[in-house]
């Protein structure tokens, strides 16, 4: 069975193809100096005090923000530190906290409460409408090239383009590449043709120069440039000029024979290219220019080097800004072979090398849906209604689903963070475990309700004080089923009331008024937003299991344990756009958690580049549990086991 829940704030949504002097109320991390070596109590106290000073100084400079202090738990392990920030999924103020913490800490890695099935939440739906998006494709091709050996090779022409496999490019960039092909002088026309996105794809993200925004990259199945070779009139006269002044009569004669006889042996364009193919050598380059007044009069120049710029065909000077002979007219701005809309962004910080899949072909398949049973359909309908109310609350404060994650990605890009980990369990796994837990927890209520209802129908009427107008059996039956289903309906009623509040009331309701980092391990639940947790059986699959999952992911980052790493948006460098975040899998990771063939490829983290500072962005309800689990993992690493695989199965 398979079902996809849609609750935004608790990792259950399935997406298709944020006082300069601290006082005593500041709660320090428990066991803030974790060590496997025994020390005296005095040494422990000294180390703890030392770390307390360091932590205080680290967070003290965050513009005196009490809310950020309350919302953040800090766990230290020697020179490594994890900041766990609890946020609300329906709060604009949470976005500010995310930006402030990432900017202040300057982490080596950021972890967000997302999974592979919810990468769509990172894409701003308004980007496509405003044109603020890029495209990329695994297939870039040129079609229509003649097969003659004297024509430039396809690979040489593809090297002129900024559209290449896996590289993001804007719509204007694709058109600029068409112009770059026209600028070779080889073609009458160049038409870009793009294929639709594959059935399942993962967005990449671009951080362009002179922008604070991260632009989503939409994958296309292919980008193809269809070309039509240029048609030139017969040559009336030919003049051969040798740049160094040393005339080569044999070469000059051969050039005259080929070009002037082109009317009978083939087209003029073929003849010009054949001359280059047969006469170039010893470092010489042949270029052409001509005048079409009173016929086509060609000058062939023999150059001794390529100091004159990139020369592919020798016909570049004949294009004349798109007005040369045999070039179809076009209205767009001609850019020329070196035209470029975006200057490359100078990379800053550590960049990640992502290698394409080798032993595993890229997997773009989409999980097929299966028939849902009654309980799955009912649970799905209830969670969709819950998600609708939660989205309504977000719109009240001016945000849409996924806002916090997009803010986190943009803040990570601005701070040149090389790794953005998707640290949550698959939403489909969580939804199935939630359904099982809800059924198991609700069955006793339903069974009792059914028994009471049945008894009311078979009991003697005198015992039930039945009346002709309203039989008692109906009253009892209705009351028993209301009592059974009330635990499911009550959270819906709470989130509905929450969504009907004003924007300021919503922000007040989700504002953290006490430190999440405290001596208590009890989860901190927000009224309204976290009403889902009160569903029968929901707390374990939705909160406790995912606390373990995400805490282990942070632990694996800090200790550089490949088997515990999760799918990642890794910062790579691209020639034209600067920093690009590509979806990739860590080498050595669990195939259950990081399926081979998914994303753009694989990467590895060398021990010298292992992250030392991690910022985790999660829902407020997860902070205390994750902090306690992470402290225990760092204190007792041998007890960790394979937590991610254990929690990634559909059965609890």
């Amino acid at each position: 069975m398979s079902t996809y829940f849609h609750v935004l704030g608790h990792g259950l949504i399935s997406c298709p193809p944020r006082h300069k002097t601290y006082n005593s109320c500041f709660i320090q991390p428990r066991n803030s100096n974790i060590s496997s070596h025994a020390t005296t109590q005095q040494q422990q106290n000294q180390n703890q005090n030392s770390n307390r000073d360091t932590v205080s100084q680290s967070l003290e400079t965050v513009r005196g923000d009490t809310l950020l202090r309350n919302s953040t738990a800090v766990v230290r392990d020697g020179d490594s530190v994890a900041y766990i920030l609890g946020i609300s999924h329906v709060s604009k103020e949470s976005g500010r906290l995310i930006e402030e913490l990432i900017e202040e800490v300057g982490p080596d890695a950021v972890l967000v409460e997302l999974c592979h099935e919810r990468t769509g939440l990172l894409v701003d739906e308004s980007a496509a409408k405003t044109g603020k998006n890029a495209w990329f494709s695994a297939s870039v091709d040129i079609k229509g090239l003649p097969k003659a050996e004297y024509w430039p090779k396809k690979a040489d022409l593809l090297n002129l383009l900024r559209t290449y496999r896996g590289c993001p490019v804007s719509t204007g960039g694709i058109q600029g590449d068409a112009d770059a092909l026209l600028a070779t002088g080889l073609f009458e026309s160049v038409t870009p043709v793009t294929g639709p996105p594959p059935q399942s794809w993962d967005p990449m993200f671009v951080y362009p120069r002179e922008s604070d925004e991260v632009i989503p990259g939409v994958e296309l199945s292919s980008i193809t440039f269809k070309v039509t070779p240029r048609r030139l009139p017969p040559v009336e006269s030919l003049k051969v000029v040798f740049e160094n002044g040393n005339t080569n009569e044999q070469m000059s004669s051969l050039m005259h024979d080929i070009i002037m006889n082109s009317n009978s042996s083939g087209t003029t364009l073929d003849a010009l290219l054949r001359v280059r193919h047969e006469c170039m050598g010893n470092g010489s380059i042949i270029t052409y220019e001509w005048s079409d007044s009173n016929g086509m009069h060609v000058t062939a120049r023999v150059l001794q080097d390529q100091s004159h710029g990139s020369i592919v065909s020798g016909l570049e000077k004949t294009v004349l800004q798109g007005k040369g002979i045999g070039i179809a007219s076009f209205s767009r701005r001609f850019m020329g072979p070196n035209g470029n809309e975006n200057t490359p962004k100078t990379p800053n910080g550590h960049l990640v090398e992502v290698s394409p899949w080798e032993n595993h072909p890229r997997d773009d398949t989409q999980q097929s849906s299966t028939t849902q049973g009654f309980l799955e359909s009912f649970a799905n309908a209830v969670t969709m209604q819950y998600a609708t109310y939660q989205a309504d609350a977000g719109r009240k404060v001016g945000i849409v689903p996924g806002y916090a994650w997009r803010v986190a990605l943009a803040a990570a890009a601005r701070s040149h963070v090389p790794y953005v980990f998707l640290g949550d369990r698959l939403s489909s796994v969580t939804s199935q475990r939630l359904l099982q837990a809800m059924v198991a927890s609700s069955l006793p209520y339903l069974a009792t309700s059914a028994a009471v209802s049945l008894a009311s129908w078979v009991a003697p009427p005198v015992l039930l004080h039945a009346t002709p107008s309203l039989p008692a059996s109906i009253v009892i039956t209705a009351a028993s089923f209301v009592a059974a289903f009330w635990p499911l309906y009550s959270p819906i009623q709470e989130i509905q009331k929450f969504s009907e509040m004003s924007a300021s009331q919503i922000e007040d309701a989700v504002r953290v008024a006490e430190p999440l980092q405290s001596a208590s391990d009890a989860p901190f639940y927000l009224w309204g937003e976290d009403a889902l947790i009160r569903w029968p059986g929901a707390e374990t699959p939705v909160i406790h299991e995912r606390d373990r999952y995400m805490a282990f992911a942070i632990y694996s980052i800090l200790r550089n344990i490949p088997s515990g790493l999760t799918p990642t948006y890794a910062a790579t460098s691209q020639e034209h756009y600067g920093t690009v975040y590509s979806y990739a899998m860590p080498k050595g990771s669990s195939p259950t958690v990081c399926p081979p063939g998914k994303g753009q490829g694989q990467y590895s983290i060398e021990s010298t580049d292992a992250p030392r500072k991690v910022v985790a962005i999660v829902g407020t309800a997860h902070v205390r549990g994750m902090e306690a689990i992470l402290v225990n993992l760092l204190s007792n690493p041998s007890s960790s086991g394979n937590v991610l695989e254990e929690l990634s199965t559909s059965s609890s």
Side-chain angles (χ1 to χ4, degrees):
M1 296 193 302
S2 173
T3 185
Y4 292 91
F5 290 80
H6 299 262
V7 179
L8 307 181
H10 294 285
L12 302 180
I13 186 170
S14 176
C15 301
R18 338 186 212 228
H19 304 303
K20 290 189 176 180
T21 302
Y22 286 103
N23 51 36
S24 59
C25 73
F26 176 70
I27 306 297
Q28 300 298 333
R30 282 192 305 279
N31 193 17
S32 57
N33 186 32
I34 300 168
S35 175
S36 58
H37 302 286
T39 60
T40 64
Q41 185 64 42
Q42 182 179 4
Q43 289 174 323
Q44 290 177 352
N45 292 338
Q46 290 175 349
N47 290 337
Q48 190 172 24
N49 290 334
S50 174
N51 276 346
R52 177 179 292 112
D53 293 339
T54 303
V55 174
S56 299
Q57 187 177 5
S58 175
L59 292 179
E60 197 171 294
T61 56
V62 187
R63 289 178 272 188
D65 197 315
T66 302
L67 179 58
L68 181 59
R69 180 184 64 191
N70 284 345
S71 303
T72 306
V74 184
V75 177
R76 289 188 175 273
D77 176 27
D79 61 347
S80 299
V81 59
Y83 300 83
I84 307 174
L85 174 62
I87 55 102
S88 165
H89 303 271
V90 295
S91 169
K92 207 166 192 176
E93 196 169 38
S94 286
R96 176 183 62 80
L97 299 183
I98 293 171
E99 291 177 330
E100 287 186 6
L101 183 60
I102 292 178
E103 179 182 355
E104 179 64 27
V105 170
D108 306 310
V110 168
L111 179 141
V112 293
E113 186 192 327
L114 279 180
C115 67
H116 168 71
E117 293 173 340
R118 291 178 283 148
T119 55
L121 289 174
L122 289 168
V123 178
D124 187 350
E125 294 181 358
S126 65
K129 299 177 183 178
T130 59
K132 292 182 178 180
N133 63 288
W135 311 93
F136 68 99
S137 175
S139 173
V140 180
D141 197 10
I142 300 175
K143 291 188 176 180
L145 287 174
K147 297 182 179 179
E149 64 177 357
Y150 42 78
W151 264 77
K153 305 300 181 185
K154 180 189 292 188
D156 295 331
L157 295 174
L158 287 173
N159 284 336
L160 296 176
L161 311 181
R162 55 175 155 177
T163 305
Y164 59 90
R165 186 184 185 279
C167 175
V169 64
S170 66
T171 302
I174 295 175
Q175 188 59 72
D177 282 341
D179 292 341
L181 290 174
L182 284 171
T184 64
L186 294 169
F187 308 111
E188 172 187 339
S189 63
V190 178
T191 305
V193 179
T194 58
Q199 184 180 23
S200 176
W201 57 276
D202 301 292
M204 69 163 48
F205 297 91
V206 183
Y207 182 47
R209 180 175 177 152
E210 298 177 354
S211 174
D212 287 335
E213 296 181 278
V214 172
I215 299 174
V218 180
E219 181 168 4
L220 301 171
S221 58
S222 63
I223 300 176
T224 303
F225 296 91
K226 293 187 175 181
V227 298
T228 301
R230 191 176 178 185
R231 290 174 291 185
L232 297 173
V235 177
E236 295 290 336
S237 66
L238 173 65
K239 179 181 179 181
V240 180
V241 177
F242 292 87
E243 185 184 54
N244 61 4
N246 298 324
T247 303
N248 186 326
E249 294 294 342
Q250 184 178 0
M251 180 185 293
S252 179
S253 176
L254 178 60
M255 294 170 68
H256 276 85
D257 288 344
I258 295 175
I259 294 175
M260 299 308 296
N261 293 327
S262 61
N263 292 338
S264 59
S265 61
T267 68
T268 299
L269 180 59
D270 285 343
L272 297 175
L273 294 176
R274 182 183 169 193
V275 163
R276 281 174 50 83
H277 179 74
E278 296 190 10
C279 297
M280 285 198 315
N282 300 320
S284 61
I285 301 295
I286 297 176
T287 66
Y288 300 102
E289 53 191 88
W290 55 65
S291 169
D292 61 344
S293 59
N294 300 320
M296 185 169 168
H297 303 277
V298 177
T299 299
R301 299 187 180 276
V302 182
L303 313 176
Q304 294 304 309
D305 56 56
Q306 293 199 43
S307 60
H308 299 270
S310 177
I311 299 174
V312 174
S313 67
L315 301 168
E316 285 82 1
K317 291 185 178 180
T318 70
V319 176
L320 301 178
Q321 293 297 300
K323 299 178 182 179
I325 300 173
I327 298 178
S329 61
F330 52 91
S331 59
R332 61 183 178 271
R333 177 175 62 87
F334 190 80
M335 299 181 64
N338 296 317
N340 196 347
E341 288 182 332
N342 295 290
T343 304
K345 186 181 182 70
T346 302
N348 291 299
H350 176 66
L351 296 172
V352 183
E353 181 178 351
V354 175
S355 305
W357 291 104
E358 295 179 357
N359 299 327
H360 301 276
R362 186 171 171 194
D363 181 9
D364 288 322
T365 59
Q366 190 174 29
Q367 183 180 9
S368 59
S369 60
T370 57
T371 304
Q372 294 184 349
F374 168 75
L375 288 175
E376 286 183 301
S377 299
F378 173 75
N380 198 25
V382 172
T383 53
M384 286 187 68
Q385 186 60 54
Y386 189 100
T388 298
Y389 288 134
Q390 192 177 53
D392 289 343
R395 281 189 287 270
K396 281 282 186 70
V397 301
I399 63 175
V400 295
Y403 167 77
W405 314 134
R406 292 191 293 275
V407 170
L409 181 60
R414 287 194 296 271
S415 295
H416 312 293
V417 178
Y419 308 100
V420 178
F421 290 91
L422 306 184
D424 200 2
R425 180 172 66 183
L426 287 179
S427 59
S428 57
V429 174
T430 297
S431 66
Q432 290 178 9
R433 284 181 171 241
L434 172 60
L435 176 64
Q436 295 166 8
M438 289 174 61
V439 170
S441 299
S442 299
L443 280 178
Y445 297 100
L446 295 174
T448 302
S449 172
V452 171
S453 176
L454 179 62
S456 70
W457 285 94
V458 300
V462 67
L463 297 178
L464 302 176
H465 303 288
T467 65
S469 59
L470 187 63
S473 57
I474 295 179
V475 175
I476 293 175
T477 298
S480 62
F481 275 97
V482 167
F485 283 96
W486 178 251
L488 290 175
Y489 174 72
S490 177
I492 299 296
Q493 185 184 50
E494 181 177 317
I495 188 66
Q496 179 183 10
K497 292 180 179 179
F498 177 71
S499 69
E500 293 171 351
M501 297 193 304
S502 67
S504 60
Q505 289 173 327
I506 291 173
E507 290 284 8
D508 287 341
V510 300
R511 188 171 290 116
V512 179
E514 64 181 75
L516 293 180
Q517 185 162 7
S518 69
S520 173
D521 290 337
F524 182 91
Y525 295 144
L526 298 171
W527 182 87
E529 181 173 354
D530 293 328
L532 165 77
I533 309 305
R534 292 196 290 107
W535 278 349
E539 191 171 35
T540 294
V542 175
I543 298 298
H544 300 320
E545 290 182 355
R546 291 168 62 223
D547 286 353
R548 289 182 61 205
Y549 192 99
M550 291 187 287
F552 188 80
I554 297 173
Y555 165 73
S556 299
I557 296 171
L558 292 175
R559 293 292 175 89
N560 195 17
I561 303 174
S563 61
L565 298 180
T566 56
T568 313
Y569 273 100
T572 59
S573 178
Q574 299 288 356
E575 181 181 356
H576 296 286
Y577 271 89
T579 305
V580 177
Y581 282 86
S582 300
Y583 186 64
M585 301 296 170
K587 290 183 179 180
S589 57
S590 164
T592 303
V593 178
C594 301
K598 289 291 185 182
Q600 299 299 310
Q602 293 179 294
Y603 73 92
S604 60
I605 302 178
E606 301 297 332
S607 57
T608 54
D609 297 326
R612 291 291 180 264
K613 291 186 293 184
V614 178
V615 168
I617 314 296
V618 299
T620 304
H622 292 288
V623 174
R624 287 178 176 171
M626 288 176 61
E627 178 201 0
I629 294 168
L630 182 58
V631 167
N632 182 63
L633 286 170
L634 292 168
S635 302
N636 306 285
S638 60
S639 64
S640 60
N642 198 335
V643 174
L644 299 192
E645 289 200 354
E646 171 195 339
L647 296 175
S648 293
T649 59
S650 299
S651 300
S652 55

